[in-house]
């Protein structure tokens, strides 16, 4: 009776623990959804340029991307999946994509189909409308220093190949003229110099580009990257001064031809080249690299008194302003950082004016710091206000809810209203910003190439084990009592020769397999390699350990600790294979209901909306096919029938795809358009299926994952007991 009560007590404790864990999980889900709603209300959910695109059908909810992202709040786990919350905070580090084990994240530009602030360039970064003109760095929409350096080097190599392949370029004064001495321009110049190209760099201001205008000691995030001549930048952060010193050191070491103080004015195509004009010279060149950034000229307020000497559009040294009454205009990161820096100086009175009701596009750490400064009274924030006039000793503000202008005593005004990018100048030079001139983004279909590679290796291992057993079938087919009399027993027995080696190797594979769980946790950051590589090894070592243990055990499990561990391993590997199938082909979270359905429908409408008016019937037929299929996916009957129906979802989609493909063939559409429509139709189908069955899927996947984990623990315990027993009693021989 005591044992019965103990079992009941343990069962109740487990049930209570599971309930508490579920409540905790639901609490985190609610917090994530609330934060997402706040981001949508504030407008910070939309990306500026780059953002992480999450493939909901591939995400397994490990949270590696959330932990890897240095910008707090960009990603969060909602319903067990990664979701973009504050997309405007993403600056394109791509650490989330590198950390994702299933390749479910790709950092790319947002929806640029209707944007006219990005140049039309191809995959070589060459202008679609001005062949021979390349664009690099911020101008292309990518803001990272590492990306800018990679752009510069890529362009220089492309130009080098073209120059070497066409010697007629030698009649030009220069092979390439580079506009801009920021990271992209300098990297391009360094690479061009190493290749022996005739180059020159023209820069409007000073070496360093946009970074040269940062405040003193501002920390700049970067990622490891190789800079020609200088070497590797291997730190995650550098101060402004350190980076400027690096650029100057690289320029001096390579003796680069950088001409500062030259303002780019016009670009004209000539016979086989270009004439690039600055305020001081005209350059005859074969190629042009535009790496002049997006900063352009500061955007002015257009109010009386703005030309006063007390108005500035940047803050280089906050320590120069002490005991001053200052007004900072703007609500971006630059404005926030300037206001905070000024508030730290003794005697300053700092007021922040912003035209919106809240800060929507700033980094999480800046948001926390500015709110803290406002609460402590170090900064006065006047939201929903506009500057109307700047006078010698005051500023006039128009504030929401106030009929009269608000007068502020003032000594200095810092305007951070953004800049006017040089788009007009570039368009006059022939560079197009028309979305129609951009290369259409390829439709991305999930490949799971790393998983396919792991499965291929696993299949080869299984074939090898089967071949070994067949080769020595005359031994393995004998009864246990008869095997010691066989000639191969000294080599194949579990405690001898090859059999013993297979047992040791199988144990090592099990340990390596379990290291994946350690790598996935926050304690496994010291383990080298990507999580994706570790997941691949998890699949390979799982199957390899089973194959080795099968040979070690002589194929037949015995009624012993070792035999029980062998059977447990078979079940664990089998459960892992089935679970891997579920994770690969079954969408696993409610985000499909709350996010994917809406997004896919919107995108599908955009694509099918491009069809001609006479294809209205085609669009309606496709939508009807999808609607019927979505209704057909609803589950009925017993749990077994539901699981069986879920496992055949792929077959149902192939039937629908065949019908849609037939409709598209009859419409005689272009191959690319057909591919895009089919890809979106599949996403719509799977998202609708997910929306209908999400809670059942979550329960199935969570239960399977739980079972796989605890079966693995049981197997490890049995294997440990078997090893201890074998070391204590068995007699080993190497044959």
């Amino acid at each position: 009776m005591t044992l019965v009560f103990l079992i009941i007590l343990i069962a109740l404790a487990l049930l209570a623990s599971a309930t508490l864990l579920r409540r905790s999980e639901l609490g985190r889900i609610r917090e994530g959804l609330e934060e997402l709603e706040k981001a949508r209300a504030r407008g910070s959910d939309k990306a500026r340029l780059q953002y992480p695109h999450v493939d909901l059908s591939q995400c397994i909810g490990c949270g590696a991307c959330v932990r890897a992202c240095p910008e707090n709040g960009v990603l969060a786990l909602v319903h067990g999946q990664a979701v973009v919350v504050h997309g405007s905070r993403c600056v394109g580090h791509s650490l989330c994509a590198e950390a994702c084990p299933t390749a479910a994240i790709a950092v790319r530009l947002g929806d640029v189909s209707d944007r006219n602030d990005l140049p039309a360039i191809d995959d070589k970064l060459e202008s679609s409308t001005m062949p021979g003109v390349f664009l690099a760095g911020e101008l292309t929409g990518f803001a990272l220093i590492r990306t800018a350096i990679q752009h510069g080097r890529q362009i220089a190599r492309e130009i080098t190949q073209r120059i070497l392949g066409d010697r007629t370029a030698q009649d030009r004064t220069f092979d390439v003229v580079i506009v801009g001495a920021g990271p992209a321009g300098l990297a391009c110049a360094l690479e061009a110099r190493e290749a022996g190209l005739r180059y020159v760099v023209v820069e409007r201001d000073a070496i360093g580009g946009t970074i040269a205008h940062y405040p003193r000691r501002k920390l700049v995030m970067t990622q490891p990257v190789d800079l020609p001549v200088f070497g590797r930048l291997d730190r995650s952060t550098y101060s402004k001064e350190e980076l400027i010193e690096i650029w100057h050191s690289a320029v001096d070491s390579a003796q680069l031809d950088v001409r500062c103080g030259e303002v780019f004015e016009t670009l004209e195509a000539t016979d086989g080249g270009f004439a690039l004009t600055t305020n001081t010279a005209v350059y005859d060149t074969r190629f042009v690299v535009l790496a002049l950034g997006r900063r352009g000229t500061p955007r002015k307020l257009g109010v009386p008194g703005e030309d006063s000497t007390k108005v500035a559009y940047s803050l280089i040294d906050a320590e120069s302003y002490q005991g001053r009454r200052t007004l900072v205009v703007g609500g971006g990161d630059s404005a926030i950082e300037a206001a905070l820096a000024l508030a730290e100086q003794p005697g300053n009175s700092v007021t922040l004016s912003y035209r919106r009701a809240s800060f929507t596009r700033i980094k999480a750490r800046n948001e926390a710091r500015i709110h803290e400064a406002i609460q402590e009274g170090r900064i006065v924030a006047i939201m929903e206000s506009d500057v109307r006039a700047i006078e010698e000793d005051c500023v006039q503000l128009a504030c929401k809810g106030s009929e009269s202008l608000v007068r502020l005593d003032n000594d200095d005004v810092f305007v951070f209203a953004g800049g006017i990018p040089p788009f007009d100048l570039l368009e006059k030079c022939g560079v197009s910003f028309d979305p129609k001139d951009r290369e259409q983004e390829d439709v991305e279909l999930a490949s799971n190439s790393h998983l396919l590679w792991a499965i291929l290796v696993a299949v080869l291992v299984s074939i090898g084990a089967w071949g070994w057993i067949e080769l020595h079938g005359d031994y393995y087919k004998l009864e246990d009592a008869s095997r010691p009399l066989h000639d191969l027993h000294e080599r194949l027995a579990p405690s001898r020769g090859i059999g013993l080696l297979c047992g040791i190797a199988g144990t090592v594979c099990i340990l390596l397999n379990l290291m994946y769980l350690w790598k996935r946790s926050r304690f496994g950051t010291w383990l080298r390699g990507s999580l994706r590589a570790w997941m691949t090894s998890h699949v390979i070592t799982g199957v390899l350990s089973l194959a080795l243990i099968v040979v070690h055990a002589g194929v037949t499990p015995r009624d012993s600790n070792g035999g029980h561990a062998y059977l447990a391993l078979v079940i664990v590997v089998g459960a892992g294979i089935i679970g891997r199938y579920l994770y690969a082909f079954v969408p696993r979270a409610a985000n499909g209901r709350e996010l994917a359905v809406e997004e896919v429908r919107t995108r599908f409408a955009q694509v099918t909306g491009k069809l001609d008016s006479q294809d209205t019937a085609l669009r309606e037929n496709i939508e009807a096919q999808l609607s019927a299929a979505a209704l057909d996916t609803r589950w009925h009957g017993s749990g077994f029938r539901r699981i069986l129906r879920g496992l055949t979802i792929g077959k149902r989609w192939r039937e629908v795809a065949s019908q849609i493909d037939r409709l598209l063939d009859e419409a005689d559409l272009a191959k690319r358009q057909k591919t895009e429509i089919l890809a979106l139709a599949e996403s719509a189908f799977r998202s609708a299926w997910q929306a209908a069955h999400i809670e059942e899927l979550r329960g199935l996947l969570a239960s399977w994952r739980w079972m796989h984990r605890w079966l693995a623990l049981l197997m490890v315990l049995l294997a440990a007991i078997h090893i201890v027993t074998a070391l204590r009693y068995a007699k080993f021989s190497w044959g």
Side-chain angles (χ1 to χ4, degrees), residues 24-210:
S24 176
E25 180 186 11
L26 290 175
R28 290 192 296 272
I29 291 173
R30 281 193 297 270
E31 291 175 1
L33 291 174
E34 289 172 0
E35 189 65 25
L36 183 58
E37 286 302 317
K38 290 179 183 177
R40 287 173 174 169
R42 296 168 51 189
S44 62
D45 62 314
K46 301 299 182 183
R48 295 180 183 177
L49 290 172
Q50 301 142 112
Y51 83 109
H53 172 77
V54 183
D55 184 344
L56 298 175
S57 67
Q58 302 300 323
C59 177
I60 62 173
C62 64
C65 56
V66 180
R67 294 191 294 270
C69 180
E71 304 296 335
N72 185 35
V74 175
L75 291 162
L77 288 181
V78 179
H79 287 302
Q81 258 187 327
V83 172
V84 178
V85 178
H86 293 284
S88 63
R89 296 177 183 173
C90 179
V91 295
H93 291 292
S94 298
L95 296 178
C96 55
E98 294 174 10
C100 179
T102 62
I105 295 183
V107 176
R108 62 192 190 191
L109 294 177
D111 184 6
V112 299
S113 58
D114 298 321
R115 295 185 60 165
N116 58 2
D117 62 343
L118 293 172
I121 55 177
D122 59 19
D123 58 349
K124 294 182 174 61
L125 305 175
E126 186 173 16
S127 170
S128 301
T129 54
M130 285 285 284
V133 176
F134 295 83
L135 294 91
E138 281 186 314
L139 202 57
T140 65
F142 293 92
L144 289 184
I145 291 176
R146 181 181 69 168
T147 305
I149 292 174
Q150 291 171 341
H151 280 183
R153 301 190 70 178
Q154 174 187 339
I155 292 172
R157 291 167 182 166
E158 176 65 24
I159 291 174
T160 301
Q161 290 181 359
R162 297 191 189 184
I163 293 291
L164 294 177
D166 184 3
R167 294 297 180 182
T168 60
Q170 296 299 321
D171 59 351
R172 297 286 172 183
T173 305
F174 292 99
D175 293 322
V176 57
V177 173
I178 303 163
V179 182
L186 293 178
C188 185
L190 290 167
E191 192 77 27
R193 183 187 180 282
E194 286 194 344
L197 300 183
R198 296 165 298 163
Y199 72 93
V200 65
V201 181
V202 296
E203 166 60 46
R204 178 182 61 182
D205 296 321
I207 291 175
T210 302

Side-chain angles (χ1 to χ4, degrees), residues 39 82 135-136 178 191 281 285 306 426 498 530 560 578 661 673 676:
L135 294 91
I178 303 163
E191 192 77 27
T285 179
E306 190 171 14
L426 296 181
I498 295 174
S530 67
S560 62
I578 296 174
D661 193 47
Q673 199 170 20
E676 188 173 12

Side-chain angles (χ1 to χ4, degrees), residues 675-707:
T675 302
E676 188 173 12
I677 290 176
L678 272 174
L680 289 167
E682 181 178 7
S683 296
F685 174 79
R686 291 187 179 276
S687 297
W689 178 68
Q690 176 186 16
H693 315 303
I694 184 57
E695 293 305 326
E696 291 166 302
L697 288 174
R698 274 185 54 77
L700 173 63
L701 292 175
S703 300
W704 203 276
R705 189 174 181 178
W706 182 89
M707 179 182 69

